Amino acid sequence: MDANQQQSAPSTPSAYLTFLERQLTADGCATRWEDWAGVPVLVGRRAEFRLRWMGTKLHLFTVAAAVPEITVQAISGFTDQVMKYAKDTKGGLPVGFQNGIGAFPLLVSDRVDPAAVQWAEAQQRVKFACMTRPVVVDSSRQYVGMYRGKPVLGRVYASYFNEKSSRYFHGH
């Protein structure tokens, strides 16, 4: 991790969520806090249309929560919850009709199973017109684990996801 990432990444889970909310707002996302079964969850949302995306509108959701510990089961389950939430709240035309959903399901903790980081970094998860890039933030090490490659499915959106993740999660 370079010095810029270390300086901009807060060292506690709650401080990280405050930082993330600022980054999302600065990028023009609508943000709000919700209660998901007793857990405060930050939801950031924006939509963009680009011709180079084959004329589609992408609805990008960033959904983040601080948890006591991050395991593979925790980030996998949270990713599924976020995808369902995004599909249920997107509105407009159905997904796939010149509409897509992108999501960054993010969990932050100072106790992180290395297997959870590996799971998040391994691949982008894709279901019909819905792409998720799970994010695991280890606040004790100031480390952000997520997929940063160019997947076969959804490749046209890869640079957008990489640019947004750099801006939101590292503060660049």
Side-chain angles (χ1 to χ4, degrees):
M1 184 174 298
D2 66 34
N4 291 337
Q5 286 176 317
Q6 288 190 353
Q7 290 172 356
S8 63
S11 60
T12 67
S14 61
Y16 187 84
L17 291 178
T18 300
F19 160 81
L20 177 58
E21 185 174 23
R22 279 195 313 267
Q23 297 302 107
L24 292 169
T25 302
D27 193 42
C29 294
T31 61
R32 70 175 183 262
W33 286 89
E34 295 186 7
D35 182 315
W36 287 20
V39 176
V41 174
L42 171 64
V43 177
R45 183 176 174 181
R46 66 179 297 129
E48 290 189 46
F49 173 87
R50 295 200 181 160
L51 287 174
R52 69 178 171 175
W53 294 341
M54 298 168 284
T56 60
K57 183 179 212 177
L58 182 69
H59 299 266
L60 182 63
F61 290 81
T62 302
V63 184
V67 293
E69 180 179 16
I70 303 173
T71 62
V72 171
Q73 183 177 353
I75 188 61
S76 176
F78 189 67
T79 297
D80 291 342
Q81 283 182 291
V82 168
M83 186 51 58
K84 181 179 180 340
Y85 173 87
K87 283 181 177 180
D88 291 348
T89 60
K90 178 192 72 61
L93 291 171
V95 172
F97 291 93
Q98 299 305 107
N99 270 293
I101 293 176
F104 291 118
L106 182 148
L107 291 179
V108 57
S109 181
D110 55 12
R111 292 178 53 220
V112 178
D113 180 345
V117 174
Q118 292 169 347
W119 185 87
E121 292 177 340
Q123 65 181 347
Q124 173 173 284
R125 274 63 185 178
V126 179
K127 293 181 182 173
F128 180 68
C130 301
M131 299 151 287
T132 59
R133 289 200 179 189
V135 183
V136 171
V137 179
D138 184 338
S139 58
S140 69
R141 295 189 312 136
Q142 299 181 343
Y143 183 81
V144 176
M146 67 174 295
Y147 178 76
R148 291 182 176 86
K150 292 193 176 200
V152 174
L153 292 173
R155 186 178 195 87
V156 69
Y157 303 103
S159 62
Y160 178 77
F161 279 118
N162 291 337
E163 182 261 322
K164 293 300 181 193
S165 66
S166 179
R167 178 178 294 179
Y168 296 168
F169 313 129
H170 301 291
H172 296 152

